[in-house]
Amino acid sequence: MTATLENAPAKGETVLRLRGVSKNFGAVSALTDIELEVKAGEVVALVGDNGAGKSTLVKVLAGVHQPSAGTIEFCGRQVTLDSPAKALDLGIATVFQDLALCENLDVVANLFLGHELSPWALDEVAMEVRAWTLLRELAARIPSVREPIASLSGGQRQTVAIARSLLLDPRLIMLDEPTAALGVAQTAEVLNLIERVRDRGLGVIIISHNMEDVRAVADRIVVLRLGKNNGVFTPDSSNQELVSAITGATDNSVSRRAERKSGHAQESHGGAA
Ligand SMILES: Nc1ncnc2c1ncn2[C@@H]1O[C@H](COP(=O)(O)OP(=O)(O)OP(=O)(O)O)[C@@H](O)[C@H]1O
Ligand SMILES: [Mg+2]
């Protein structure tokens, strides 16, 4: 189904590479000279303050916005993502924050919504088997694929939305704030699911404001600030380093305040950021 399957990168190989990507909206520079690399089997967290450019970057990769400058390489070749359909067809899937699920339809119907051209479409038995198989592979906790979305928890809905995008066999999946509205147990469930998606060999980009979730799941943490790259970190990087990169704070008191806000106050931090 995807044009890239025959040259799908193996784990550890580069799936996505951005060079000098910029995006202007009139006089507003939402992104300036962005460099980004995502490998197969890797979770990259995109973090940054409000207005840092995270959603704009995801929308550029989803084919919603066209970059004003720069190049995008996907699975080893330069691509033009001039529509959402093109991005999907190449193997770039996006789970937007609103999930776009139909409340009154069941899990199977939602999984296959918009996949009408797929070989299983309109064959109810085949779709149900495919749905069960995929959800089992993902160890998803969905009681029944005939359950309407309206009766599922937030975590289960996120699971259905992620599973739906996997049906198109993407090489890269982007998740915008997948745990934002979830409680502790459901967050853990979704983070586990993201790990299993990664283990299938996909490149994963996750946007999150929650540093705890980011540390739990990301292999690399890419900070954007005011539309520019502002450092690449690992889950082992100190919270102070991360918060300083996100806020641009050189003043220790500012970074301490932001740290407390992110739930990681470490009173032992003494040095300037
Ligand atoms: N369609 C648009 N037209 C004009 N300006 C835009 C548009 N989309 C985004 N911007 C501007 O681009 C900048 C980056 O916004 P973006 O939504 O990408 O930030 P973000 O990192 O996703 O922030 P948040 O954490 O609040 O979601 C902001 O200054 C924003 O106002
Ligand atoms: Mg955003």
Side-chain angles (χ1 to χ4, degrees), residues 106-177:
D106 67 19
V107 171
V108 176
N110 269 279
L111 283 176
F112 289 90
L113 211 64
H115 296 193
E116 283 80 9
L117 297 179
S118 70
W120 326 283
L122 307 179
D123 179 342
E124 278 294 323
V125 176
M127 286 197 292
E128 190 166 327
V129 169
R130 182 77 182 98
W132 265 124
T133 310
L134 178 60
L135 292 171
R136 203 173 43 236
E137 280 169 19
L138 295 171
R141 290 196 201 159
I142 307 277
S144 159
V145 292
R146 289 301 173 192
E147 203 76 52
I149 295 298
S151 65
L152 299 185
S153 70
Q156 289 169 331
R157 288 165 190 232
Q158 187 68 236
T159 300
V160 172
I162 292 172
R164 182 174 61 183
S165 64
L166 291 180
L167 280 173
L168 288 172
D169 211 357
R171 307 319 315 161
L172 177 75
I173 182 167
M174 300 186 288
L175 309 165
D176 197 353
E177 296 270 357

Side-chain angles (χ1 to χ4, degrees), residues 25 28-30 48-57 65 177 209:
F25 294 106
V28 177
S29 300
D49 227 334
N50 299 116
K54 306 179 297 293
S55 293
T56 303
L57 184 52
H65 291 322
E177 296 270 357
H209 283 283

